Amino acid sequence: MPAITSSPIVGFCFGLGLGLGLIASVSAQAAPHETSMKLPNAQIEALDFAALEGWQDDDHAAAFSAFLKSCSAILNGTKAMRKARPVYDALFKVCERANAAGPLDREQARAFFEDNFNPVRIMPAGQTDGFFTGYYETEVIGSRVPTDEFKVPLYAAPAETVRKHKSKVFAHFDRSAIEDGALAGKNLEICWVKNPVDAFFAQIQGSTRVKLDGGQLLRLNYVASNGQPYTPVGKFLIDRGIISKEEMSMDRIRDWMDANPDEGNDLRRKNRSFVFFQQTALAAHDECIGAQGIPLTAGRSLAVDKKIHVYGTPIWIDAELPILSEKPDTIFRRLMFAQDTGSAIVGPARADIYFGAGEEIGHIAGRVKQHGQFVMLAPRTVAVTGATATGTKDVPLPKPRPKDIVADATPTGSVGEAAPLPKPRP
């Protein structure tokens, strides 16, 4: 299995998953608290770093390098942003210390994280684990002009809406209307690709590399959507008994769509959401830009629910993922960072792991759909609590859930620098 390659992509999520359930509250350890963060529909468990299995073994120097990328954006934030989001302000102060520290080796970086953060395990109400999927940057063959071979357009958003930073365009058109030609004559086509399945998955992932027949490479990133509801299509194939939950992956969906073009077209249209791209000036070796506005890092960048988490927040993941094989038996324990978002990423302990770019990486990202520990590193001045309509209270943790694979979630994603793959479990 080759190492993760470097490449950038952007993933975006919309909405806030609020369910019913009990919520526990705890305060971060040590240091006087200046502010608090309430997580909706979440159980909170305070930990210490010694409780994080594998913490000592991670490459914290690589993690610190990824964190500095987030700090470059955080330190450019305005006073109004810091005032509006106290957690952002707390991260701002940590980033000032990180910037002053400069490059750190593994032990120095580990000490920095331990000195400036407290680990807090986040669990959706009534559950014991978070849920992880993977995403990547797709690669397709395309043409600048439509031909008999290349006839599926990838659309840009209108220039005026891009200038005004509007995230929704053509909200009155769903996927069916657009694919039936609702945008014809508006001169929004960036390029054309051969296969509607390629266009569909480029939209799900949020960015793509288009190799033109003349040798030119187009780097396209998400810029807006039609704002229509996002629907993961895999669940329809599960409900019809076509693909089992255990076998579900992006590869299986793609294979079925390719083998059943008419039914595949109908299936894609069940996802009414439609994504628009913008051409970037990124070169082939450059990394994609995530929602935080920084280059993402493969194996270190996460897409999270932006309505809950502040970009730049460190998050420790402990899970068994299907990386080295199709079986979820690869130990993945790593410090990562909230640097992106995506339409399928909803809830306090939900994250999409960015793996990189290319076909082989796509196979890995497309089969990740596992539960595991989601541990947020909260700045020491922030007290993290859970909240319900009836207030906060301590409750017993629920029983551990079975390690069943939940396979109807569809990834939506980001990009970055290569990181070594974890070792398989003995």
Side-chain angles (χ1 to χ4, degrees):
M1 167 56 228
I4 294 177
T5 57
S6 172
S7 253
I9 183 173
V10 174
F12 291 80
C13 272
F14 314 102
L16 177 62
L18 299 181
L20 297 176
L22 298 173
I23 293 177
S25 65
V26 301
S27 297
Q29 302 170 1
H33 298 131
E34 297 176 0
T35 188
S36 63
M37 177 184 186
K38 288 187 178 180
L39 294 176
N41 284 331
Q43 291 189 148
I44 310 301
E45 180 185 9
L47 302 173
D48 55 41
F49 285 100
L52 302 183
E53 190 171 1
W55 171 255
Q56 298 266 358
D57 301 324
D58 193 16
D59 184 351
H60 293 284
F64 188 75
S65 178
F67 180 60
L68 286 177
K69 292 182 181 180
S70 281
C71 285
S72 68
I74 291 171
L75 292 175
N76 282 327
T78 64
K79 289 183 178 180
M81 294 169 62
R82 295 173 61 184
K83 185 175 181 181
R85 300 195 76 175
V87 176
Y88 183 102
D89 183 61
L91 280 171
F92 186 100
K93 294 171 182 175
V94 174
C95 282
E96 286 182 320
R97 294 191 285 273
N99 237 22
L104 302 178
D105 64 25
R106 292 178 66 146
E107 291 305 308
Q108 290 170 332
R110 180 170 62 83
F112 178 89
F113 290 122
E114 292 176 356
D115 289 343
N116 287 277
F117 295 95
N118 287 317
V120 181
R121 185 178 177 188
I122 310 299
M123 296 158 283
Q127 301 179 28
T128 59
D129 289 319
F131 183 64
F132 307 108
T133 49
Y135 71 109
Y136 69 109
E137 183 179 27
T138 69
E139 294 182 349
V140 298
I141 306 297
S143 171
R144 276 292 199 183
V145 297
T147 68
D148 290 340
E149 186 178 20
F150 298 96
K151 49 191 176 184
V152 181
L154 298 181
Y155 287 106
E160 181 182 357
T161 62
V162 175
R163 284 195 301 269
K164 293 181 178 179
H165 302 289
K166 291 185 177 180
S167 61
K168 295 180 183 179
V169 296
F170 301 114
H172 50 298
F173 293 142
D174 64 6
R175 175 175 296 277
S176 296
I178 294 173
E179 291 186 352
D180 285 341
L183 302 182
K186 296 184 181 296
N187 297 318
L188 296 176
E189 296 88 351
I190 300 174
C191 62
W192 286 259
V193 298
K194 297 179 181 180
N195 192 336
V197 180
D198 287 337
F200 181 73
F201 277 91
Q203 290 188 35
I204 288 177
Q205 298 306 314
S207 72
T208 188
R209 295 173 173 229
V210 183
K211 297 180 179 179
L212 301 178
D213 49 11
Q216 183 184 4
L217 179 67
L218 297 183
R219 301 291 300 277
L220 306 183
N221 274 16
Y222 171 105
V223 68
S225 78
N226 63 347
Q228 295 276 356
Y230 176 88
T231 302
V233 298
K235 70 187 186 79
F236 295 102
L237 297 177
I238 293 173
D239 292 344
R240 293 169 59 185
I242 295 173
I243 302 175
S244 69
K245 280 187 177 183
E246 292 73 22
E247 296 176 326
M248 178 57 67
S249 70
M250 286 194 292
D251 283 346
R252 290 298 307 273
I253 296 173
R254 176 185 285 275
D255 290 345
W256 186 86
M257 286 183 175
D258 284 336
N260 303 274
D262 291 336
E263 288 184 277
N265 182 60
D266 292 339
L267 180 63
R268 290 189 295 276
R269 292 183 176 209
K270 291 183 181 296
N271 179 15
R272 298 168 61 192
S273 174
F274 193 92
V275 164
F276 298 86
F277 296 97
Q278 64 179 346
Q279 184 175 342
T280 74
L282 295 173
H285 62 276
D286 290 331
E287 298 170 355
C288 262
I289 308 301
Q292 193 184 9
I294 60 168
L296 298 176
T297 303
R300 293 291 175 185
S301 295
L302 288 178
V304 297
D305 190 333
K306 66 178 181 179
K307 293 188 177 180
I308 298 176
H309 297 287
V310 175
Y311 290 141
T313 299
I315 295 169
W316 174 257
I317 289 179
D318 183 349
E320 294 180 26
L321 305 180
I323 293 178
L324 299 182
S325 72
E326 294 188 2
K327 295 182 179 180
D329 56 6
T330 305
I331 297 174
F332 190 94
R333 293 177 181 139
R334 187 170 294 181
L335 184 59
M336 307 189 74
F337 301 90
Q339 297 175 336
D340 207 353
T341 190
S343 56
I345 316 305
V346 179
R350 175 74 173 90
D352 213 10
I353 301 170
Y354 176 70
F355 283 98
E359 182 177 354
E360 185 63 27
I361 293 300
H363 296 320
I364 296 172
R367 61 183 181 241
V368 173
K369 47 189 182 300
Q370 276 73 37
H371 293 91
Q373 287 192 22
F374 183 110
V375 179
M376 180 179 69
L377 301 195
R380 282 182 170 259
T381 55
V382 175
V384 182
T385 63
T388 62
T390 56
T392 62
K393 57 182 179 180
D394 294 324
V395 296
L397 293 178
K399 296 179 180 179
R401 65 185 303 155
K403 291 190 175 181
D404 294 336
I405 294 176
V406 177
D408 59 0
T410 304
T412 308
S414 305
V415 185
E417 186 177 67
L421 291 173
K423 297 178 181 180
R425 180 181 291 279

